[in-house]
Amino acid sequence: MLVKLENEELTVLLNTKGAELTSVKDNKEHEYIWQADSKFWGRHAPVLFPIVGRLKDDFYLLHGNKYSMGQHGFARDNEFEVLEKNDNSVLFELSENDETMSMYPYKFSLQIKYTLSNKTLSVDYIVKNNDTKLMYYSIGAHPAFNLSYNMENYKITINDGGSYKHIPLDKSLSDFEDTDELNANEPIRLNREFFKDDAKIIDTSDNSINSFVLSNDKDNHKITVNAFNCKYTGIWSTYPKDGSFVCIEPWWGIADTTSHNHEINTKVGINELMPTKSNDYKLNIEFI
């Protein structure tokens, strides 16, 4: 089921399946969100929970038990309940069910609140541990932004410049033993070869606010993603397929390392949550 938010500036559509952002249009019908052409990539902006990226060999160990889970977890494929709704905001919730318990043995609540104000969509992810044991989890965003022109016309400005640790991927696993530097002192010019080795993952943990501005040489449209206290950020598009989108992905977690021992409590970037406690993660996206 689709849920609509709207004001004088923007019309936003969200799907109860995955609580996924599926469309953002301005009052001139300009579409900012990738429309999930399955020939290239059949999603719009999936929510990543309770893991980000891939588990080594697609399983993890917890208290001596083995659990299997696919890349990016299960939230994106589950139906969320609408708890609250008005013209400018909606609150979704996902709780455990029999299928999730087989992959992730916790009672939990994942609430996602979208709030539209002028040209900005704010997103709050509230993770609550409803169980009686310590809960391990990651959460992340994966919005895909529509490219109206050839990718070579686009650039991304990161935090107004700087040098960042780049964490390469090896068969979808994080390779912290082969890190290098991503120089963003000048805006990063995009091209298909930029994604030849999969997503560019950068360490953004040193900044309380991380700002990513996607702009182009052809018109005045731009998108600004502001993420608060995110540990890592992925920049991704298809290769060699010529998908007309780029993803800017704030993450509070990361894929398993190539040398990980499968124990979820030692997973790089994992978050811990005590019983009855909750954590809140925030980002906002401005559409110009």
Side-chain angles (χ1 to χ4, degrees):
M1 182 180 75
L2 293 179
V3 174
K4 180 189 289 188
L5 307 180
E6 57 185 338
N7 60 19
E8 293 181 354
E9 303 287 350
L10 298 173
T11 300
V12 174
L13 295 179
L14 301 133
N15 199 325
T16 54
K17 183 179 180 181
E20 184 176 7
L21 174 65
T22 62
S23 175
V24 176
K25 288 184 179 180
D26 64 16
N27 50 25
K28 296 181 180 178
E29 292 294 302
H30 177 81
E31 177 62 79
Y32 291 92
I33 301 298
W34 167 247
Q35 288 305 289
D37 185 342
S38 59
K39 290 186 297 183
F40 300 96
W41 186 59
R43 297 183 187 268
H44 305 272
V47 174
L48 317 182
F49 177 87
I51 59 169
V52 168
R54 187 171 295 282
L55 296 169
K56 186 178 179 180
D57 304 315
D58 294 324
F59 77 88
Y60 67 93
L61 299 174
L62 175 65
H63 306 313
N65 296 313
K66 179 179 176 180
Y67 298 93
S68 297
M69 195 186 308
Q71 187 176 25
H72 294 321
F74 52 70
R76 61 185 184 173
D77 295 317
N78 270 262
E79 191 75 15
F80 281 65
E81 181 182 356
V82 176
L83 297 184
E84 300 173 6
K85 167 71 173 70
N86 59 45
D87 288 345
N88 303 121
S89 70
V90 61
L91 178 63
F92 296 102
E93 184 180 46
L94 175 67
S95 300
E96 77 283 347
N97 55 49
D98 290 345
E99 184 179 9
T100 69
M101 289 290 283
S102 70
M103 296 181 279
Y104 185 66
Y106 293 103
K107 297 178 181 178
F108 69 90
S109 165
L110 171 60
Q111 293 186 353
I112 306 175
K113 185 175 184 179
Y114 293 92
T115 304
L116 181 61
S117 177
N118 297 319
K119 295 182 178 182
T120 298
L121 183 66
S122 298
V123 190
D124 289 282
Y125 305 93
I126 304 104
V127 181
K128 185 175 181 182
N129 182 357
N130 290 331
D131 218 306
T132 57
K133 55 185 180 288
L134 183 67
M135 188 170 98
Y136 299 98
Y137 69 95
S138 299
I139 189 163
H142 200 315
F145 301 113
N146 204 35
L147 303 183
S148 301
Y149 311 106
N150 290 334
M151 182 176 281
E152 289 75 12
N153 291 295
Y154 288 82
K155 60 187 177 183
I156 294 178
T157 304
I158 304 175
N159 293 337
D160 294 323
S163 182
Y164 302 91
K165 182 187 289 185
H166 166 233
I167 304 152
L169 291 174
D170 181 357
K171 298 178 181 177
S172 299
L173 299 178
S174 304
D175 187 359
F176 279 83
E177 296 179 2
D178 195 27
T179 61
D180 55 10
E181 295 294 316
L182 179 68
N183 187 348
N185 285 319
E186 298 292 335
I188 297 171
R189 301 296 312 198
L190 296 181
N191 57 71
R192 194 59 54 189
E193 289 296 311
F194 186 73
F195 303 104
K196 183 177 181 179
D197 298 318
D198 210 331
K200 297 290 186 183
I201 301 172
I202 58 176
D203 186 335
T204 49
S205 58
D206 287 343
N207 305 298
S208 60
I209 302 176
N210 287 284
S211 176
F212 295 79
V213 181
L214 175 66
S215 57
N216 71 81
D217 304 326
K218 295 287 191 178
D219 61 34
N220 294 323
H221 289 298
K222 67 178 182 179
I223 296 167
T224 301
V225 179
N226 293 309
F228 299 87
N229 297 304
C230 67
K231 296 178 179 181
Y232 307 97
T233 303
I235 303 172
W236 177 75
S237 188
T238 49
Y239 180 90
K241 290 182 178 180
D242 195 21
S244 298
F245 68 90
V246 64
C247 297
I248 299 173
E249 310 172 40
W251 296 342
W252 296 268
I254 196 169
D256 270 354
T257 61
T258 53
S259 59
H260 187 49
N261 63 5
H262 296 289
E263 296 284 351
I264 196 169
N265 63 307
T266 63
K267 178 178 171 63
V268 173
I270 200 69
N271 302 286
E272 298 181 355
L273 194 57
M274 294 294 290
T276 74
K277 301 298 183 181
S278 62
N279 280 333
D280 192 356
Y281 304 87
K282 297 177 182 292
L283 63 89
N284 62 55
I285 310 173
E286 182 181 21
F287 302 91
I288 302 297

